[in-house]
Amino acid sequence: MGAGIAAAAIPAVPALIAPAGGEAATPTQAEALAGALGVEQLAVFCYRHALTSGTLGPVASALANAFLVQEQAHAAALQARAGTLGVAIPPPPADVTEADRALEALHVRDLSTARTQKHLIALLETLEEVSEGTYYVLLGATGEAALLELAAQIMGNEAQHAMWLRALMTPRDVMKIVPSAFAEGRH
Amino acid sequence: MTSDESLHDHRSRRALLRGAGVTVAAGAALGLTACGGTRHHHVPADPVAARADVALLNAAIDAEYHAIAAYTAGIPILGGRQRDAAKQFLNQDLTHATELISLIKKAGGAAHDRSPSYDLGHPQTPAEVLALLHGVERSLIRTYLQMIPRLQPGVTRSVVGSMLANEAEHVSMLRAHLGLAPVPAAFVSGNE
């Protein structure tokens, strides 16, 4: 796949990420919605990849399966809102190369080099935090009531995903599993 | 003041809150005051909207006070990892209350005081305490979900959203300790 297609997969995501040494500009509603949807589609791809990699143990697989279903529900709900609001729907990544490019734009490690459960869970946890961050941005960028409620509901669920993935990495340490009173993710 | 400046102000103040730590002591839990944040005060341009925000934020602080009272009363009955989690969640709800007081002051309002008492029932066992905490955290989520679409400044919606997401973490962990499915729904509603 060409770089153009990869870039188009999540056109709004770079606008949500602060450049080194500076603050990101406030995105429009369309950019923020497309960015959140792009990250959801990327999460669906990464969970599927992790589940088919054969490297996850039974507990991690059970979590990943459950979270994949929920990410698919998020993506479907966001696509419906995007359609209603006339926002262009970004295409999901077609393969690992495209996913890696999208992850790189988000400052998340490559999927292709994550070959152990530890690395895959760390990647998924980081991606969940990025997803939380897209909703933090979206809540500030839109005034549309239905989209605000949807974004808040999904943001809470992404925070739960990130929390349980952290619990896999650092069991028994609640300070690391639920580290902050403000689950705003990475943005 | 721009929204970026306002957001930066929130981040800086929260970093201070994290660094300072928040005591779990019941006295501190029930005697909150607003902190810092005098350099950049974001006040919504529309005074009607500001009054509406104050009412919404005060509803949230009432719910946070209720949760703080429940944790303060329930923690001595818990043990082990349940107690550790409850202490952490109490600290975080105290931080939320402090943040809400600050947001209310910035909107030009006055924060509600805590009630003299709260109806917490009579939990006697760890399971009963966990059920009480689960209930108050679910109520917090419903409160935040109702208010977010009605808040005016975008930065306030984002900050309140991050508190809602933290309450969703609390609910999920409490559900696990209660033996319930920890993440039962793709869309957090406060009914789970």
Side-chain angles (χ1 to χ4, degrees):
Chain A
M1 290 292 172
I5 294 174
I10 49 166
V13 167
L16 305 180
I17 304 300
E23 290 287 330
T26 302
T28 65
Q29 172 182 275
E31 288 171 338
L33 175 53
L37 178 52
V39 173
E40 291 287 0
Q41 292 171 331
L42 184 57
V44 167
F45 186 94
C46 291
Y47 274 110
R48 281 188 179 137
H49 178 87
L51 284 163
T52 57
S53 68
T55 58
L56 299 185
V59 174
S61 287
L63 274 186
N65 260 315
F67 295 173
L68 168 61
V69 171
Q70 295 182 336
E71 301 296 1
Q72 289 171 320
H74 300 164
L78 288 178
Q79 283 190 23
R81 287 312 303 162
T84 300
L85 296 170
V87 174
I89 298 171
D95 56 26
V96 172
T97 302
E98 281 193 19
D100 277 350
R101 289 199 182 107
L103 289 166
E104 185 180 7
L106 297 166
H107 310 296
V108 182
R109 68 165 296 157
D110 285 358
L111 193 58
S112 56
T113 59
R115 297 194 181 94
T116 65
Q117 171 170 309
K118 179 182 174 183
H119 289 150
L120 281 167
I121 294 301
L123 184 157
L124 292 169
E125 193 276 335
T126 304
L127 191 53
E128 292 284 5
E129 288 198 27
V130 170
S131 187
E132 280 177 65
T134 66
Y135 293 105
Y136 183 91
V137 171
L138 181 56
L139 288 174
T142 182
E144 209 258 330
L147 182 56
L148 283 169
E149 183 174 1
L150 178 64
Q153 289 185 300
I154 299 176
M155 186 177 179
N157 183 239
E158 304 294 15
Q160 292 173 332
H161 292 180
M163 182 189 78
W164 288 111
L165 292 168
R166 285 192 293 272
L168 276 180
M169 295 188 288
T170 57
R172 302 177 190 280
D173 189 346
V174 73
M175 303 285 279
K176 291 181 179 173
I177 296 169
V178 192
S180 173
F182 302 94
E184 64 190 59
R186 299 185 182 207
H187 54 89
Chain B
M1 177 179 190
T2 67
S3 59
D4 281 350
E5 286 171 333
S6 180
L7 187 58
H8 177 75
D9 180 39
H10 276 285
R11 287 173 176 164
S12 300
R13 189 156 32 75
R14 276 181 277 140
L16 285 172
L17 281 169
R18 292 189 194 107
V22 183
T23 177
V24 181
L30 302 176
L32 295 163
T33 56
C35 70
T38 56
R39 279 192 307 141
H40 301 291
H41 278 226
H42 178 94
V43 179
D46 179 352
V48 176
R51 280 198 297 274
D53 280 358
V54 168
L56 294 167
L57 293 165
N58 263 320
I61 208 165
D62 290 342
E64 289 283 3
Y65 281 144
H66 191 178
I68 289 164
Y71 277 107
T72 304
I75 282 172
I77 299 172
L78 299 175
R81 293 170 69 182
Q82 294 174 351
R83 186 184 181 116
D84 292 343
K87 284 182 177 178
Q88 175 78 341
F89 298 170
L90 170 58
N91 270 337
Q92 292 176 336
D93 284 344
L94 284 162
T95 305
H96 297 165
T98 303
E99 180 75 14
L100 289 165
I101 291 169
S102 178
L103 289 171
I104 289 167
K105 289 184 74 173
K106 286 181 178 181
H112 286 178
D113 289 329
R114 66 179 177 87
S115 292
S117 64
Y118 291 89
D119 182 5
L120 304 173
H122 301 282
Q124 303 291 322
T125 67
E128 289 170 351
V129 169
L130 291 171
L132 167 68
L133 299 177
H134 183 217
V136 297
E137 291 281 9
R138 291 165 69 205
S139 178
L140 269 169
I141 288 176
R142 290 194 295 271
T143 299
Y144 285 127
L145 275 177
Q146 287 169 6
M147 67 189 281
I148 284 173
R150 295 153 67 191
L151 288 169
Q152 283 298 325
V155 66
T156 302
R157 290 195 297 269
S158 294
V159 171
V160 170
S162 73
M163 293 193 284
L164 179 154
N166 180 236
E167 308 297 5
E169 293 173 327
H170 295 178
V171 163
S172 187
M173 184 69 78
L174 289 166
R175 287 181 63 86
H177 284 303
L178 283 163
L180 302 170
V183 191
F187 305 94
V188 167
S189 70
N191 295 321
E192 64 276 10

